[in-house]
Amino acid sequence: MNFERNIIVTGGAGFIGSHVVRRLVRNYPAYRIINVDLLTYAGNLENLKDIENEPNYLFERADICDHEKMSRLISRYNVSGIIHLAAESHVDRSIRDPFTFACTNVMGTLSLLQSARNIWEQSPDGYHGKLFYHISTDEVYGALPFDSSLFTESTPYSPHSPYSASKASSDHFVRAFHDTYGLPAIITNCSNNYGPYQFPEKLIPLFINNIRQGKPLPVYGEGLNVRDWLYVEDHARAIDLIFHKGTPGDTYNIGGFNEKRNIDLVHSLIAVTDRLLGRPQGASLPLITHVTDRKGHDLRYAIDASKLQRELGWTPSLQFEEGLERTVRWYLDNEEWMERVTSGAYENYYREMYADR
Ligand code: NAD
Ligand code: TYD
């Protein structure tokens, strides 16, 4: 079958990547979507069960740090677009093991950039119709005080955690490839995502699962830190739009216009989860346990997404209350998914299946 375009999505077995893959596979039957993922602990092909047999979907198990393999894949499939989400993504892990974050996020991105550049430069129509789209985070901008300031596209980079330092470094390499070699590249910096299929080491799925099981809810410090929450499908919609309509060389911030203090978010999670479980209002409040604060815990993140709104007409579609209700309902309805993730069963199944790749 001949496809209009072949597009690689890296990290497509992860949380956000799986939503991006699903959206592209369903909305663009004329495109072939090639999900390139190493299947680390965070990669779970069960996130894509509903589309895995679609004729325009392919999975390739590969490490983005493997330059030769990345080059082979880009050549073999005549890839004209790369949407790069593969990364180590959890701040707490980066504090324990910064080295892995530098390897995957910095060297992996550099390896992928080199492959794209080499192959596209040598292709008959050069960079024409090609795009390297790098998915980044608002955490590269550092932390905001408790006031009304927001991160804009021109806020200077000031990363604090090993995770944000590695993402900032990868962003700089993407810009360097655009400015030095003319590689058509776009970067977007997004705020905290939430929704179905998020690995339960992140605040929202971890706490929903703990409330369900009556386990403690470890709130770091006083819980006063602020995050700006965006429903993951709204992020996937923004990525689709920017991939098709964004200007190469540009950066766009993506955010939910939805700031919450952690402790207030935890109270909302308890209220919704208790209600959906048929428990008395506030039954799970005693599970809140204040624990030692995260080292270097950034105070506040908040995104000004008005450029994206102004230039491409994107706004978040879901109110936070609705997004949270949908999310809690999804985790409660998909207990088996959660059970297979927390027990590690998901890893054994697919790792064996793709062991030879
Ligand atoms: P995730 O941890 O859920 O998924 C990461 C995926 O990358 C996994 O499937 C994993 O197997 C894969 N991967 C890791 N190392 C790899 C390697 N060496 N080669 C190939 N694949 C590899 O992450 P996520 O939350 O979905 O985040 C996706 C991207 O979005 C990341 O780049 C992250 O920095 C960025 N981002 C995330 C958020 C958020 O709130 N989750 C917000 C803004 C930006
Ligand atoms: P997280 O989901 O890890 O995302 P990020 O660190 O990228 O913002 O954490 C969201 C917020 O919740 C952050 O301020 C840290 C806090 N947090 C807790 O208080 N307890 C927890 O167990 C976790 C995982 C996070």
Side-chain angles (χ1 to χ4, degrees), residues 1-39:
M1 191 168 163
N2 260 343
F3 290 95
E4 195 183 298
R5 287 192 81 172
N6 291 290
I7 294 162
I8 282 184
V9 177
T10 71
F15 165 49
I16 303 172
S18 63
H19 288 275
V20 172
V21 165
R22 177 178 298 98
R23 181 180 176 93
L24 296 178
V25 164
R26 288 206 176 131
N27 288 1
Y28 301 95
Y31 293 178
R32 176 160 52 191
I33 306 302
I34 304 140
N35 174 10
V36 174
D37 197 297
L38 182 59
L39 301 183

Side-chain angles (χ1 to χ4, degrees), residues 311-325:
E311 293 190 4
L312 300 181
W314 177 92
T315 47
S317 71
L318 273 194
Q319 293 294 320
F320 184 64
E321 290 64 32
E322 194 187 341
L324 202 63
E325 175 103 9

Side-chain angles (χ1 to χ4, degrees), residues 9-12 36-37 64 83-88 104-105 109 134 167:
V9 177
T10 71
V36 174
D37 197 297
I64 53 164
I83 304 180
H84 175 39
L85 295 109
E88 288 292 335
T104 299
N105 299 357
T109 300
H134 178 60
K167 292 296 291 187

Side-chain angles (χ1 to χ4, degrees), residues 339-352:
E339 202 284 318
R340 288 179 60 75
V341 171
T342 49
S343 70
Y346 74 106
E347 289 187 289
N348 302 337
Y349 179 68
Y350 281 106
R351 288 247 174 92
E352 267 166 37

Side-chain angles (χ1 to χ4, degrees), residues 21 26 49 60 68 90 96 98 135 138 172 269 338:
V21 165
R26 288 206 176 131
K49 266 194 148 70
E60 289 279 354
E68 308 256 296
H90 189 41
R96 292 195 296 271
I135 308 301
D138 59 356
H172 289 319
L269 277 172
M338 181 60 90

Side-chain angles (χ1 to χ4, degrees), residues 74-89:
I74 296 170
S75 291
R76 187 197 306 156
Y77 295 114
N78 190 23
V79 167
S80 67
I82 298 174
I83 304 180
H84 175 39
L85 295 109
E88 288 292 335
S89 70

Side-chain angles (χ1 to χ4, degrees), residues 89-92 139 163 192 198 201-204 206-207 218-220 225 227 229 262 294 297-298 301:
S89 70
H90 189 41
V91 174
D92 293 324
E139 305 191 22
Y163 164 66
N192 285 61
Q198 187 167 29
E201 62 187 352
K202 305 279 170 66
L203 181 76
I204 289 184
L206 175 72
F207 278 33
V219 173
Y220 298 160
N225 304 63
R227 296 292 181 264
W229 294 93
N262 289 342
R294 175 185 276 173
H297 198 171
D298 283 340
Y301 303 141

